[in-house]
Amino acid sequence: RFTKRTCPMDTLKLKCLSREGDAILVFMGALQSSPHQTPKLIDIGQPMYLSSDAIIAISTLLQNQECKIEGLVLRQTRIYDESLAQISLSLQKNVTLREFIVDTKSLTNTGWDIMSSLVC
């Protein structure tokens, strides 16, 4: 359980987390309970499986008006078109995110079309 902190965190890096227990849900849950304490950059990856619950947690956080995330990095994650579509809907409602990096070999042209619709 996280407690309130007096100084904001700039970066949260999550690497090499296994699917069992989906530890990312713990971190996203903590951030959702204190969105004003959200780090400026969340860097997830190397390699990590993102379950549908983890994608929903990330999407929910991105939609929160109090969330101040400026950067989201999904590096070497196994993220697929459907998951990217879920995140892209959240990004349409997010006003603070300035940088979104997706580094994966799992996307098809459909996934990249979804991403291009966000910036074009």
Side-chain angles (χ1 to χ4, degrees):
R1 181 176 164 121
F2 288 89
T3 58
K4 288 187 178 183
R5 295 177 322 209
T6 56
C7 60
M9 180 176 17
D10 285 332
T11 303
L12 173 63
K13 288 189 177 192
L14 304 174
K15 293 184 177 187
C16 299
L17 297 177
S18 69
R19 183 177 183 171
E20 291 74 39
D22 215 352
I24 193 168
L25 292 175
V26 174
F27 288 105
M28 292 300 119
L31 294 175
Q32 287 174 21
S33 67
S34 299
H36 58 284
Q37 294 285 348
T38 307
K40 292 180 182 177
L41 173 67
I42 296 178
D43 187 342
I44 301 171
Q46 206 171 6
M48 185 181 295
Y49 169 81
L50 295 177
S51 69
S52 59
D53 289 340
I55 295 297
I56 290 169
I58 292 169
S59 298
T60 302
L61 184 63
L62 289 171
Q63 289 181 47
N64 190 318
Q65 295 288 328
E66 294 181 59
C67 173
K68 304 298 181 200
I69 295 174
E70 295 177 10
L72 176 61
V73 179
L74 303 177
R75 189 183 321 274
Q76 297 180 8
T77 55
R78 285 174 267 165
I79 186 168
Y80 299 95
D81 296 338
E82 300 80 21
S83 299
L84 195 59
Q86 175 82 31
I87 290 175
S88 69
L89 290 173
S90 300
L91 291 176
Q92 292 173 0
K93 299 175 183 177
N94 184 288
V95 296
T96 59
L97 193 75
R98 302 286 180 250
E99 183 176 30
F100 180 47
I101 298 172
V102 179
D103 175 16
T104 182
K105 296 177 183 172
S106 304
L107 293 180
T108 67
N109 286 343
T110 301
W112 293 114
D113 287 346
I114 291 168
M115 286 303 300
S116 65
S117 70
L118 287 174
V119 295
C120 298

